[in-house]
């Protein structure tokens, strides 16, 4: 079992819809959770981070964390074709060292 | 803020040759990370430094890989006797180093071993 698991997709949504991306992790001691977006051939760029249970909103993006279920999600409202990319979930443990990444979910937003 | 800088951006080398990548982190960041990413996979942790100290190295990393950060600023990642399986994007990232802070990636160095 991988430490961080994501559905590989592809996930396809129409423009203007809500895209929901999910991630589960195995280390109960994980403290910090991150979502990165990666366009083809480019490096990951940070979208959001979340540390506490509940929701965190930033513009069209909402991150949700449930530590009891070891689950973190990212919602993208009013999806745009420019949101088409691979979304990587990353988890950091208690030692504030490395972040462990999932293999990403590929999102396609169709005009 | 100049961001994380990596050099070279692309490298094609013959199998068996040695290659070295350089990373210059964001200036106020004392933590520096190296990751490797292949097609369809997420970034795989290789190693990280706090200042000049190498604090963790992946057990998956063979002895052909070595990283240094001699003065706590820039870092180099050397791969000796390259193999075709080393072909990947090598990502450098940095962070301020406090618990929970995010890491910021450079643009990556693409390695192709032929």
């Amino acid at each position: 079992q991988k430490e961080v698991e994501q559905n590989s997709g592809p996930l396809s949504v129409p423009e203007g819809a809500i895209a929901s991306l999910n991630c589960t992790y195995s280390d109960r001691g994980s403290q910090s959770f991150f979502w990165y977006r990666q366009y083809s051939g480019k490096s990951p760029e940070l979208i959001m981070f979340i540390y506490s249970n509940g929701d965190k909103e930033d513009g069209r993006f909402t991150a949700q964390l449930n530590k009891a279920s070891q689950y973190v999600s990212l919602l993208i409202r009013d999806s745009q074709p420019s949101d088409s990319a691979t979304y990587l979930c990353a988890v950091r443990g208690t030692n504030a060292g490395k972040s462990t990444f999932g293999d990403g979910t590929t999102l396609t937003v169709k005009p | 803020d100049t961001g994380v800088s990596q050099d070279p951006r692309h490298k094609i080398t013959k199998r068996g040759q040695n290659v070295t990548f350089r990373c210059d982190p964001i200036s106020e960041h004392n933590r520096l990370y190296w990751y490797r990413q292949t097609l369809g996979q997420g970034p795989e942790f290789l190693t990280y430094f706090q200042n000049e100290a190498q604090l963790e190295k992946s057990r998956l990393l063979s002895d052909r890989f070595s990283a240094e950060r001699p003065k706590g600023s820039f870092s180099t990642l050397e791969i000796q006797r390259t193999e075709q399986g080393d072909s990947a994007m090598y990502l450098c990232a940095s962070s301020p180093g406090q618990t929970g802070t995010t890491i910021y990636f450079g643009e990556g160095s693409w390695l192709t071993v032929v």
Side-chain angles (χ1 to χ4, degrees):
Chain A
Q1 182 186 6
K2 291 180 69 79
E3 293 181 55
V4 179
E5 301 231 25
Q6 298 181 251
N7 290 327
S8 61
L11 174 65
S12 181
V13 300
E15 184 174 356
I18 296 175
S20 177
L21 305 162
N22 304 314
C23 171
T24 58
Y25 60 94
S26 60
D27 182 0
R28 283 196 170 273
S30 299
Q31 297 287 310
S32 311
F33 307 86
F34 307 87
W35 283 100
Y36 287 82
R37 177 175 62 199
Q38 186 172 30
Y39 293 112
S40 180
K42 302 295 186 181
S43 64
E45 57 178 325
L46 179 71
I47 298 174
M48 290 191 69
F49 59 87
I50 185 167
Y51 306 144
S52 303
N53 278 329
D55 295 358
K56 179 181 179 182
E57 187 174 320
D58 183 359
R60 296 186 296 112
F61 299 95
T62 299
Q64 299 174 317
L65 174 62
N66 183 327
K67 288 187 178 181
S69 300
Q70 295 174 246
Y71 175 92
V72 59
S73 65
L74 179 71
L75 300 177
I76 306 174
R77 290 181 300 281
D78 188 23
S79 296
Q80 301 297 308
S82 60
D83 294 327
S84 298
T86 296
Y87 289 80
L88 297 164
C89 172
V91 174
R92 177 180 288 187
T94 54
N95 68 359
K98 68 179 183 182
S99 294
T100 301
F101 285 79
D103 288 336
T105 298
T106 300
L107 171 67
T108 300
V109 181
K110 295 186 175 180
Chain B
D1 181 0
T2 57
V4 178
S5 176
Q6 293 189 243
D7 183 71
R9 295 291 317 284
H10 300 274
K11 178 73 175 179
I12 300 174
T13 191
K14 291 184 178 179
R15 188 174 53 188
Q17 298 295 304
N18 299 344
V19 297
T20 299
F21 299 109
R22 175 180 169 127
C23 173
D24 288 88
I26 295 170
S27 59
E28 64 269 24
H29 287 184
N30 58 23
R31 288 205 173 198
L32 186 148
Y33 305 80
W34 286 100
Y35 284 81
R36 175 174 64 189
Q37 188 176 25
T38 55
L39 191 65
Q41 305 292 312
E44 174 191 21
F45 171 77
L46 296 179
T47 189
Y48 85 92
F49 295 83
Q50 179 158 321
N51 299 314
E52 65 275 10
Q54 188 172 20
L55 296 187
E56 188 174 349
K57 184 176 177 180
S58 170
R59 287 169 290 182
L60 301 175
L61 207 60
S62 82
D63 291 341
R64 298 184 296 105
F65 288 72
S66 62
E68 294 183 340
R69 195 183 182 195
K71 297 183 179 180
S73 56
F74 73 92
S75 175
T76 58
L77 175 69
E78 181 183 19
I79 309 173
Q80 296 181 328
R81 305 181 303 282
T82 53
E83 302 172 356
Q84 287 188 322
D86 297 331
S87 296
M89 179 165 63
Y90 289 83
L91 291 160
C92 179
S94 69
S95 79
Q98 297 138 3
T99 300
T101 55
T102 59
I103 63 173
Y104 297 91
F105 285 95
E107 294 184 332
S109 292
W110 287 93
L111 173 65
T112 301
V113 181
V114 297

